[in-house]
Amino acid sequence: MTSPINSITNRINLICIAACVVVGVSLSVLFGWYFDIKTLKSLLPDFPEMNPNTAAGFVLTAVGLLCVAKGQGNRYWKTASAICGGLICLLGAITLGIYITGAHSGIETLFAPSSGIVPENELSGRRSPLAAFNFTAIGLSIVMIGGRQFFGKISELLAFLVLTTTYGSLLGHLYKTDLLIRSSDYNTMALHTMGLFFVCGLSLLAANFDSITVKLLTSGGLGGRMAYKLLPTVILIPTVFGWVRLWGQNQGYYDTAFGASLIIFSCVTTICGVVLFFCFAIEKTDQRRKMAESETAEKERLYRDLFDYGQGMICIHDTDGKITSVNPATFLSLGYESESMIGKNLAEFLPLENQPQFAAYLRKIQNEGLADGYLTLVSNDGKNVIWRYHNILVSEPDAEPYVLGHAQDVTALLKAQKQLKNLSLTDELTGLYNRRGFLTLAEQQIRLERHEGTARGLSLMFADMDGLKKINDIHGHEIGSEAIIELSKIFSSVLRSSDLIARWGGDEFVILTIGTQDEDTGLMTDRISGALDEYNAKGEKPYKLACSIGLAPVPLAGNRSFESIIAEADEAMYAEKRRRKAARIDVKESPFVPPVSTLSVLDSPRQSPRA
């Protein structure tokens, strides 16, 4: 069960309500005195009446409570509450002094009506001794509220003193014991006087924000809940049973000894039953608490094991990126010690080129609560370690939000993926693109060229190495493979970096030249021919390199497939081979014809593609 005074706002509201109740009742009593309304003065027939001076004291007390409620953080209201408390204490002390010294003062009739309704007696307007004592204690309590911690404790004790004396007066009424409620016929404590003292005492406790009793009752803990339930029981059971015992004795049902035994037996058995009931409740609560603590401890152990032995990166940082906790696997992966990372900003471990992106990451996780992606951290030995992270913003009540991050080291995985991608797109022997890689990139380039404003012209060259079979037969296949590699190097050295070169298969190569016109392709073939001549002139190898090249333009208009263009260039290359073969035959027949170059090129004829 939660107390209704579990917040400052609620407590201030309750104090204001209590002050209004005190003012309303007090003014009603004064109204009853001035207009001689018996009910307003005594509530019930033959019961004591509230003294007009007492009613006026309650009005001043209500003003003091309102000033206390308004005085939270306002020194003017605090000063006003201290003045009210001082006046209340002074008036109560004066009345007590009059009782002690037997002196007479005009204060007894200060608020009494002049119509002669109040009997003309020096005690007729005087408060009862208990009321005067309570007003003195209330005044001192109001003055000390909001002071240092020591004065706050004194104020709490004074409030309890008011409640205690008032409870004693209530017992005097309940058990008809004059010693507790009067010293004469004119200064008894009325029922509504006791009620207002209870209200004022409780209000003083609520207004005292240093009150350990109020903190206990409003804590929401096990002790607070038990006190909240047990206190009313402990107070009411002896009070009610005592009244019942006295009533039965007065009716003659039993004598004093039996009545005393009865009250003791009833109180002991009832209170024991109540205590046992609450003890069972506490035991069940304690068992549930232990089970919850055990489950929590088990979860914490599992989480700690996950944190300590997990191979992924677990990192906790605040919303500014300051690292507060990192698991051992991260230290092991990055090579740092704990003191090298804890307390530092995560951005300090990023490569310089990636640090500007860290601010964007923080904004995203603060706005969206989630962030994932790749994070590159620099290890202690200067290497870049790539992490695939999934981070979440954690917001808990009464705590600063923080970011919980979990990541896996994917450096080796990304490297392997890159290698696999290269293997799937490149030729293992020459390092050039293979057929798949060439077609993928060539089709992308054609789509780009077809886009308006970016066309620069494309040409396709299909090259076939001449004499590879002879090299294999004479020198072996290893040398043949070496010759293919050397030819690929010549192509790469002559052509531009923007051109696409691929080993199509065996001793065949395809080249997609970008940004070329018809005359440009002729220059490229001349450069290839010159490079081949220069290579053969060195004589470093036991073989000569030669190749035949077929050309085919790449039309950007229409829907012609790229495979058909390759087939056209392939056919042109074979036509060139046939022409060169015929030329070699003519050379043999006529020794006066100059030898054929190592490179011959035929512009693509419009022949049907070779199957």
Side-chain angles (χ1 to χ4, degrees), residues 165-465:
T165 57
T166 306
Y167 177 69
S169 297
L170 177 63
L171 291 180
H173 278 293
L174 189 61
Y175 300 154
K176 294 181 173 55
T177 304
D178 290 342
L179 184 62
L180 294 175
I181 60 174
R182 72 175 74 198
S183 61
S184 72
D185 292 336
Y186 300 104
N187 52 16
T188 56
M189 187 180 288
L191 288 178
H192 37 359
T193 301
M194 291 185 291
L196 293 186
F197 275 133
F198 272 122
V199 172
C200 292
L202 294 175
S203 299
L204 289 173
L205 287 177
N208 189 347
F209 293 101
D210 294 325
S211 171
I212 58 176
T213 304
V214 175
K215 289 180 180 178
L216 172 65
L217 294 175
T218 60
S219 64
L222 182 60
R225 293 198 300 271
M226 290 299 103
Y228 201 81
K229 296 176 180 178
L230 278 174
L231 280 177
T233 306
V234 171
I235 294 172
L236 290 176
I237 287 177
T239 302
V240 173
F241 282 4
W243 180 84
V244 172
R245 176 258 179 184
L246 185 61
W247 176 83
Q249 183 175 332
N250 291 335
Q251 295 296 321
Y253 296 138
Y254 41 78
D255 57 14
T256 302
F258 182 84
S261 302
L262 179 63
I263 185 62
I264 293 173
F265 174 79
S266 301
C267 287
V268 168
T269 54
T270 305
I271 292 177
C272 285
V274 172
V275 169
L276 287 175
F277 172 79
F278 282 109
C279 287
F280 284 127
I282 293 173
E283 181 64 20
K284 289 182 179 179
T285 302
D286 189 56
Q287 289 178 358
R288 289 195 295 267
R289 178 188 59 81
K290 289 181 179 179
M291 291 179 61
E293 288 179 351
S294 177
E295 293 176 357
T296 302
E298 180 64 17
K299 290 181 180 179
E300 289 180 353
R301 185 188 66 79
L302 293 175
Y303 293 152
R304 177 55 57 184
D305 290 345
L306 176 63
F307 186 85
D308 290 340
Y309 302 113
Q311 297 305 301
M313 172 185 178
I314 302 177
C315 175
I316 299 176
H317 64 77
D318 62 16
T319 53
D320 294 326
K322 183 179 178 181
I323 300 173
T324 58
S325 181
V326 179
N327 68 327
T330 305
F331 297 131
L332 181 63
S333 176
L334 298 178
Y336 292 106
E337 298 294 333
S338 174
E339 58 272 10
S340 301
M341 295 190 71
I342 303 299
K344 295 185 178 181
N345 198 290
L346 187 59
E348 299 179 24
F349 300 92
L350 271 65
L352 292 177
E353 62 272 15
N354 293 350
Q355 289 184 1
Q357 304 173 6
F358 191 69
Y361 153 77
L362 290 178
R363 287 194 300 269
K364 179 178 180 181
I365 200 165
Q366 290 178 19
N367 295 330
E368 301 179 11
L370 293 170
D372 55 14
Y374 292 94
L375 178 70
T376 301
L377 298 179
V378 180
S379 64
N380 195 28
D381 57 2
K383 296 180 180 179
N384 288 345
V385 182
I386 304 175
W387 302 82
R388 180 74 171 90
Y389 69 87
H390 301 273
N391 292 3
I392 184 171
L393 180 66
V394 180
S395 299
E396 297 178 346
D398 302 326
E400 293 293 328
Y402 62 91
V403 178
L404 175 61
H406 178 264
Q408 291 290 333
D409 185 350
V410 294
T411 308
L413 176 62
L414 292 179
K415 183 178 179 180
Q417 288 178 346
K418 184 177 180 180
Q419 291 175 347
L420 288 174
K421 182 177 180 181
N422 290 337
L423 288 175
S424 66
L425 298 179
T426 58
D427 176 61
E428 185 176 0
L429 179 64
T430 61
L432 301 176
Y433 290 114
N434 58 17
R435 183 182 298 228
R436 176 188 297 174
F438 179 80
L439 289 175
T440 300
L441 296 177
E443 288 176 355
Q444 293 178 359
Q445 189 62 46
I446 290 175
R447 285 195 296 269
L448 181 63
E449 288 290 318
R450 286 173 177 170
H451 190 275
E452 184 178 357
T454 60
R456 294 172 292 171
L458 297 174
S459 296
L460 185 68
M461 305 170 66
F462 199 102
D464 183 79
M465 183 177 180

Side-chain angles (χ1 to χ4, degrees), residues 40 129 135 188 218 281 326 349 369 396 435 468 477 526 585 593:
L40 295 179
F135 277 121
T188 56
T218 60
V326 179
F349 300 92
E396 297 178 346
R435 183 182 298 228
L468 177 62
H477 287 279
D526 290 341
I585 295 174
V593 178

Side-chain angles (χ1 to χ4, degrees), residues 111-149:
F111 294 98
S114 59
S115 59
I117 297 173
V118 179
E120 294 181 0
N121 187 295
E122 70 275 6
L123 299 179
S124 61
R126 188 181 299 176
R127 300 165 178 165
S128 69
L130 286 177
F133 177 82
N134 282 351
F135 277 121
T136 304
I138 287 173
L140 286 174
S141 181
I142 290 176
V143 171
M144 293 183 179
I145 284 179
R148 295 181 180 178
Q149 188 173 7

Side-chain angles (χ1 to χ4, degrees), residues 9 14 23 101 107 121 144 156 167 219 267 301 307 328 335 357 466 476 479 535:
T9 303
L14 287 174
V23 169
T101 62
I107 194 172
N121 187 295
M144 293 183 179
E156 182 178 12
Y167 177 69
S219 64
C267 287
R301 185 188 66 79
F307 186 85
Q357 304 173 6
D466 294 334
I479 301 300
Y535 179 87

